[in-house]
Amino acid sequence: MQRINFPHKYGGRSDQMSQREHAEDTIWWSIKSATEFAAHRRTVVLFHTNSSSLAGRPNPLLWIDNTGNVWPELRQVLESYAPERIMVNTDRDIAFAGGLHVGEMDILKEELGGRWTSRFVNVPMLAVEFVSKRVPGQMKYFEKMQETIWAMLEEAFSERVVVPGKTTTEDLQWWFREKMQEQNVSTWNQPRVKVLDPSSFPGWSGSDSIVQEGDVLHVDFGISAMSMHTDTQHLGYVLRVSQGERNVPESLLVGLKKANRMQDIVLEELQVGRTGNEVLAACNRRLEEEDIEGQIYSHPINDFAHGPGATIGFTNLPDFVPIYGELPILPGTYYSIELFARHFVPERNESLRFMLEENVFWKNDTKGWHFVRGRQERFHIVDMNRAQSHRDGADAVFIIQQR
């Protein structure tokens, strides 16, 4: 287990977790050893700031028990440490600070008695800060995960995989799943592929479409490895090669550029110490000033892909987010910059939402936020003019049609 020193600003003396196998406290997944896959029996964890009583004992103290012997030992430790406050995860609004099950609270009250349970306090930011904070050594692995997902995206939205008139969006979803298996990674967010149209939002599922020339493709998914997660949305375009088209239509490029400009604005306004709602309000003002129609719904990404920390908009809450939007932006964290720009496409006589999502990290106080790998500034292109250089025949490219 990791050793944690609580910041003095919390004024806390101890933090207690009690959970049973298959009913873990939410924060257990962020403090456990990498070789532990669950809480065994009843697992009780006590972090403390004590520096005198029982000197030399580990921090945290850990009990794994199914006999009830944990309780007299825990009472003895509390007598020795005499904490003024005991923090427990009982927050009603923030999931990462509210993982103590009702049954565990009942038995804590019964076994510890009023003397100690009267000192229970709820300090949700303790859990939020702990889970949000990134360890510097993680970045080199997170970069490799980003490189992996970009390679998947570039291959999937290309003539190596897509055959217009044959490949379906469901085929592409299964291609991503099979590719993740090949790369020995899992997913928290199943791949959702769709052909964009004016109704494609928020897009909790993919479309059921046969990919055709002239289609704009969109994917939203994330991979998971080493207790880290990505969250990415990219766009692809299928050239109308039967009509001699060689490039992505200019109006689509303008729409993508608008979404890139929105990303710039979010990173400029994503200032440490501001609340998520303050960032959102500042971004919305600038979008109005620059006459950009769009919406921002960005979130922290850490031990959980939709992680604890300040949320900047929701798809259904474009102006103000209760609870999570009132949390502060923290340094040393990762964010997923998720948004769309709406742009009218004359060739289609319709407006499309250009939905993008990229992951960023906090570098330091002077250098601020940076994209982990970069951001999409050009469409992934399906160009059947290049197909002959990749294959001997169409059936060899369409590798999943006959699964």
Side-chain angles (χ1 to χ4, degrees), residues 11-27:
R13 298 296 300 275
S14 66
D15 180 32
Q16 182 171 313
M17 297 170 54
S18 181
Q19 67 236 302
R20 283 167 291 176
E21 191 170 357
H22 308 306
E24 289 82 2
D25 191 309
T26 312
I27 204 167

Side-chain angles (χ1 to χ4, degrees), residues 301-320:
I301 185 166
N302 35 63
D303 291 354
F304 299 85
H306 286 166
T311 299
I312 306 164
F314 274 126
T315 55
N316 64 326
L317 298 171
D319 300 310
F320 184 88

Side-chain angles (χ1 to χ4, degrees), residues 143-187:
E143 288 173 342
K144 291 183 183 296
M145 291 173 65
Q146 296 288 340
E147 291 170 3
T148 296
I149 203 165
W150 272 63
M152 289 183 189
L153 292 163
E154 290 170 358
E155 184 177 359
F157 285 177
S158 79
E159 63 284 350
R160 292 179 180 269
V161 176
V162 176
V163 176
K166 292 185 178 180
T167 307
T168 68
T169 50
E170 185 179 1
D171 289 328
L172 285 169
Q173 290 173 169
W174 278 103
W175 183 92
F176 278 111
R177 293 182 180 112
E178 292 168 5
K179 184 62 69 171
M180 285 187 285
Q181 289 290 317
E182 291 178 13
Q183 298 298 318
N184 196 30
V185 298
S186 59
T187 181

Side-chain angles (χ1 to χ4, degrees), residues 197-208:
D197 62 43
S199 65
S200 298
F201 185 77
W204 303 133
S205 60
S207 63
D208 183 14

Side-chain angles (χ1 to χ4, degrees), residues 126-146:
L126 181 61
V128 169
E129 290 193 28
F130 178 74
V131 179
S132 297
K133 184 73 173 180
R134 301 293 83 200
V135 177
Q138 288 179 307
M139 178 48 64
K140 65 179 180 180
Y141 299 104
F142 198 49
E143 288 173 342
K144 291 183 183 296
M145 291 173 65
Q146 296 288 340

